[in-house]
Amino acid sequence: IDDFNNYSKELSTISEDKFFPTRILTGIYEVEDIQTPISVMCDRANIAISELKNNPKEKIGYYTLEIKNRNKFEQSIISDFPKALSQNQFKIFIQPQFSKEKKLIGGEILVRWFHPTEGLLQPEQFLYLYETNSIITQLDMYIWEETAKILNRWNESGKKTIPISVNISPKDICYLDICTFFTDLTKKYNIKPKQLKLEITEPALTVDNEYQVSLISKLRKAGFIVQLDDFGNGYSSLNTLIDYSFDELKLDLSCFNHISNNEQTQKIISTILDLSQKLKLPLIAEGVETEEQFNFLKTTNKNV
């Protein structure tokens, strides 16, 4: 292995061009069964290489038991999807939203998968796979319809209802006529558009600006409340607030650790809250877990 490492370093110095440097990556799969097809061996070596994409210091990747088990799990999660959908294994929950007076004002839909063999699966265990494989659109349509059913039951009961937020992924915008789908859904279940809030993340707005501006405008004209989701989490561009017209802004507090102990963090959050007030955009703060965080937001801005 040491000789191989040295040889790999030599290959990596073939090009000294600062604009187009050469990086040689090697994936190693230790053959356990000589009957394994060569194509499978190559695939596993390539998987080992893909593990290096976020580690620029390493040049050799090994197909380990951990990678093997994870790959097997991911394949089963994808192949189990049709049956899970038809058997209603995906269950939706409502995360409540409160005003600064601690009054219940809305809710957000969360999904969990009650897998027959793997048990309870959290969204982070399967959603990224469905995003990659474009399965997410089928799951989202299922979630949207289940949400409409809940709102319909609330309306039929005659009790006071609260609006519920659902997520729209980038793939949904690419593959679906979003406005027609949601409009038909409200008619089918006899619910008002304003009862269904639509959350769109900024990454979903980077493909076709003209089409997406028109889409959001159509949704708002149809009576839906459109939210910019996860603002402050990762890449956030002020151009998004300039180019698009939203009804509400959602700030993800999970990316701001130790609010009370960090003056810089407090200033940033305070600036975002002031911005939402000046733009007359009601702001919903996600990830509020302590009384201290709640009090900070309450005293900092009146628009939350």
Side-chain angles (χ1 to χ4, degrees):
I1 294 298
D2 290 337
D3 290 339
F4 188 86
N5 269 316
N6 293 331
Y7 181 62
S8 177
K9 291 178 181 179
E10 290 180 16
L11 289 175
S12 297
T13 60
I14 290 177
S15 171
E16 298 295 340
D17 191 301
K18 63 179 179 180
F19 296 109
F20 302 101
T22 301
R23 185 185 178 207
I24 308 297
L25 300 180
T26 305
I28 296 179
Y29 166 65
E30 184 176 348
V31 179
E32 301 172 346
D33 182 358
I34 60 173
Q35 301 299 322
T36 302
I38 293 179
S39 61
V40 174
M41 296 181 188
C42 291
D43 286 343
R44 292 174 179 175
N46 283 326
I47 291 173
I49 291 176
S50 68
E51 296 290 314
L52 303 175
K53 62 183 179 182
N54 294 323
N55 190 347
K57 294 183 179 180
E58 296 295 332
K59 294 181 174 62
I60 301 178
Y62 297 88
Y63 187 81
T64 62
L65 179 61
E66 178 185 355
I67 295 175
K68 178 181 179 180
N69 290 337
R70 186 176 71 242
N71 192 45
K72 182 179 179 181
F73 172 78
E74 290 179 347
Q75 289 177 344
S76 68
I77 289 302
I78 293 173
S79 62
D80 289 347
F81 175 75
K83 181 184 291 186
L85 199 61
S86 64
Q87 295 181 354
N88 297 319
Q89 293 175 13
F90 295 102
K91 303 297 181 183
I92 62 175
F93 296 83
I94 302 176
Q95 179 175 274
Q97 297 171 343
F98 296 92
S99 67
K100 61 184 179 181
E101 292 81 16
K102 298 185 179 181
K103 178 182 177 182
L104 181 64
I105 58 172
E108 178 181 355
I109 290 295
L110 305 178
V111 63
R112 299 292 184 268
W113 185 355
F114 288 86
H115 196 282
T117 57
E118 298 291 341
L120 176 63
L121 297 181
Q122 300 296 327
E124 58 270 20
Q125 292 178 275
F126 58 88
L127 286 186
Y128 75 97
L129 289 171
Y130 294 167
E131 285 277 5
T132 304
N133 292 274
S134 300
I135 300 174
I136 190 67
T137 297
Q138 298 176 55
L139 179 58
D140 281 346
M141 288 192 294
Y142 171 82
I143 293 172
W144 299 339
E145 184 143 9
E146 290 300 303
T147 303
K149 291 177 182 178
I150 292 175
L151 290 169
N152 174 264
R153 289 198 297 269
W154 288 354
N155 288 342
E156 293 295 323
S157 68
K159 297 180 181 178
K160 184 177 179 180
T161 65
I162 57 173
I164 301 181
S165 303
V166 294
N167 286 284
I168 296 176
S169 81
K171 295 293 177 64
D172 297 331
I173 294 178
C174 290
Y175 298 137
L176 294 175
D177 182 345
I178 295 292
C179 192
T180 299
F181 185 92
F182 278 107
T183 301
D184 291 345
L185 202 61
T186 57
K187 292 178 180 177
K188 179 179 179 180
Y189 290 98
N190 194 28
I191 61 177
K192 297 177 180 179
K194 66 179 181 180
Q195 291 183 280
L196 202 56
K197 294 186 177 183
L198 310 180
E199 299 182 10
I200 301 178
T201 58
E202 191 169 8
L205 304 173
T206 58
V207 180
D208 187 340
N209 181 274
E210 185 176 346
Y211 168 75
Q212 292 159 349
V213 168
S214 174
L215 171 62
I216 292 176
S217 177
K218 286 173 62 178
L219 288 170
R220 296 183 69 208
K221 286 180 180 178
F224 296 100
I225 296 174
V226 183
Q227 303 171 316
L228 177 59
D229 191 23
D230 288 344
F231 189 77
N233 187 3
Y235 175 79
S236 293
S237 169
L238 293 180
N239 284 334
T240 303
L241 299 179
I242 295 173
D243 295 339
Y244 298 90
S245 296
F246 293 97
D247 296 294
E248 295 178 351
L249 194 64
K250 297 189 70 176
L251 173 66
D252 187 357
L253 282 187
S254 64
C255 56
F256 297 105
N257 296 320
H258 311 296
I259 291 177
S260 61
N261 301 324
N262 191 317
E263 184 178 351
Q264 179 111 346
T265 297
Q266 291 180 1
K267 289 179 179 179
I268 292 173
I269 295 177
S270 179
T271 300
I272 294 175
L273 297 178
D274 288 341
L275 176 64
S276 72
Q277 186 175 39
K278 290 178 179 179
L279 293 175
K280 296 181 180 179
L281 276 176
L283 187 142
I284 298 174
E286 297 183 289
V288 179
E289 298 179 348
T290 66
E291 192 75 20
E292 190 175 30
Q293 291 174 328
F294 173 79
N295 289 332
F296 169 75
L297 292 170
K298 182 179 180 179
T299 56
T300 301
N301 195 285
K302 299 179 180 180
N303 202 37
V304 179

